[in-house]
Amino acid sequence: MKLIDGKSIAATVKSEIAKEVANMMDTDQKAPHLAAVLVGNDPASETYVASKERACKEVGFISSIYKLSEKTTEKELLKTIEFLNNDEEIDGYIVQLPLPKHIDTNKIIFAIDPKKDVDGFHPQNVGRMVMDMPCFLPATPAGIMTLLERSGIETEGKNCVVLGRSNIVGTPVAILLSRNSKKANGTVTLCHSRTKNLKEICLTADILIAAIGKAEFVTADMVKDQAVVIDVGIHRISDNSEKGYKIVGDVKFDEVSKKCSHITPVPGGVGPMTIVSLLENTLKAAKIQQKSEL
Ligand code: NAP
């Protein structure tokens, strides 16, 4: 079994991005600027935004965080979006999800300028992705495709089973894997909570992508010998360690890793690639804004 080392692949991509930023600075262009809007005090969201800020620093991006209170109204948030859309200093931005319940998430996503939508959630970017046109790809699915490509894993003609159909992971990764492209061309089955015979379908997978949101759901008896397993899940579960918890994925790593040809660890697999894809999108946004590339 080979471990797909997301941390190391992410470090390589980051150093490539850092080089491009240095080149931009050498030619008197400004460094890409990523902004993040954080509404409320959700600890997981705060951690994600802080790690995005750290990653920006590592590659030489400018980053800024717009921290708004939990009580921010939808109208106030839309004003911030309008400001970010019009601020020429900001190349791309994200609105960290989930938003508080009183705010209509879709209304906010629709208000983001698609040219600055580096999360790739705006319907215009989603539509362009489906039509295989230039767009910002959602970060986690794009990160998974990069992991497969850079690990030398062939997808063409392979049976790919995706567990989970969310808008941010399962559905877009199924679209990307089934694209008519040498880097994709997979035969994809997209499973969800109403899927019948889930285990039998999983057993047909040459490439199994678990984005189900259930800790250690995928067990060895669901995985074909020598399959490639990509684990998107992130869960904190209590244990007897000093920290009092450990991080696990949607896959029961200990038993599945004995059976498959490649597997992503959790942490250190898909997670680092998600942030890197966001950086890639921001670099692309900066090039579009600065008209050096269209
Ligand atoms: P989500 O929105 O909760 O979607 C989960 C999907 O799994 C749904 O489509 C659901 O089906 C399906 N599902 C749930 N139980 C099932 C079952 N027993 N059998 C078959 N399908 C089932 O999750 P998400 O946002 O895609 O996230 C998935 C996991 O990835 C989470 O653990 C999340 O924390 C993690 N994540 C990690 C990253 C990263 O960077 N590593 C990024 C994003 C998310 P229905 O549609 O029928 O309800």
Side-chain angles (χ1 to χ4, degrees):
M1 177 277 295
K2 260 195 168 166
L3 212 56
I4 300 178
D5 187 350
K7 236 176 154 175
S8 134
I9 296 173
T12 306
V13 182
K14 270 194 222 163
S15 69
E16 292 165 8
I17 295 173
K19 256 190 215 151
E20 283 215 44
V21 176
N23 284 342
M24 288 170 90
M25 309 292 276
D26 284 348
T27 51
D28 286 336
Q29 296 173 74
K30 74 170 189 61
H33 185 163
L34 173 68
V37 182
L38 181 59
V39 186
N41 305 303
D42 175 48
S45 294
E46 283 179 345
T47 308
Y48 291 140
V49 169
S51 54
K52 285 164 190 170
E53 198 182 24
R54 264 198 312 277
C56 280
K57 273 206 186 106
E58 282 177 53
V59 296
F61 285 6
I62 304 163
S63 71
S64 42
I65 301 181
Y66 291 78
K67 265 195 120 180
L68 306 177
S69 107
E70 179 79 30
K71 294 202 173 95
T72 303
T73 63
E74 192 175 277
K75 209 170 161 192
E76 285 164 341
L77 181 54
L78 285 168
K79 276 219 142 173
T80 305
I81 302 284
E82 194 186 346
F83 166 79
L84 294 168
N85 285 344
N86 293 323
D87 186 344
E88 287 181 4
E89 290 302 310
I90 290 168
D91 298 302
Y93 69 93
I94 60 152
V95 178
Q96 185 64 43
L97 302 180
L99 291 169
K101 291 214 164 27
H102 63 275
I103 296 176
D104 180 345
T105 303
N106 279 346
K107 208 166 173 182
I108 300 305
I109 291 174
F110 270 59
I112 298 173
D113 180 346
K115 287 198 295 300
K116 293 191 174 189
D117 170 37
V118 286
D119 254 342
F121 292 163
H122 190 284
Q124 207 180 101
N125 279 312
V126 177
R128 291 176 75 92
M129 170 182 69
V130 173
M131 296 178 78
D132 210 359
M133 293 166 71
C135 64
F136 294 117
L137 295 176
T140 304
I144 293 170
M145 297 306 289
T146 307
L147 268 188
L148 291 171
E149 190 190 347
R150 294 206 180 214
S151 308
I153 293 164
E154 284 273 335
T155 51
E156 189 160 85
K158 295 286 161 66
N159 287 337
C160 307
V161 173
V162 179
L163 295 183
R165 59 176 164 189
S166 73
N167 286 344
I168 61 163
V169 188
T171 295
V173 88
I175 291 167
L176 295 178
L177 279 165
S178 56
R179 263 183 174 173
N180 182 0
S181 142
K182 189 88 188 105
K183 293 179 188 172
N185 279 336
T187 304
V188 181
T189 308
L190 180 56
C191 302
H192 45 76
S193 65
R194 307 298 161 94
T195 298
K196 294 204 169 86
N197 305 325
L198 191 73
K199 180 177 158 185
E200 285 71 22
I201 295 171
C202 289
L203 282 167
T204 66
D206 302 311
I207 299 174
L208 181 64
I209 302 198
I212 205 168
K214 290 201 155 52
E216 301 185 318
F217 181 91
V218 177
T219 45
D221 60 333
M222 298 169 77
V223 178
K224 183 163 96 173
D225 272 334
Q226 298 305 304
V228 173
V229 178
I230 306 291
D231 189 353
V232 186
I234 308 175
H235 310 274
R236 187 188 269 211
I237 58 170
S238 310
D239 70 359
N240 296 325
S241 69
E242 225 174 85
K243 281 192 293 191
Y245 69 87
K246 64 173 178 174
I247 305 289
V248 299
D250 285 354
V251 175
K252 213 164 179 27
F253 184 88
D254 291 349
E255 53 179 70
V256 172
S257 58
K258 293 192 183 106
K259 224 178 162 186
C260 55
S261 72
H262 296 75
I263 188 166
T264 55
V266 177
V270 174
M273 293 307 294
T274 296
I275 294 188
V276 156
S277 299
L278 181 68
L279 297 176
E280 287 185 310
N281 277 348
T282 305
L283 180 64
K284 189 166 163 182
K287 288 178 176 173
I288 293 170
Q289 311 292 328
Q290 296 175 29
K291 304 258 186 304
S292 63
E293 197 175 275
L294 274 170

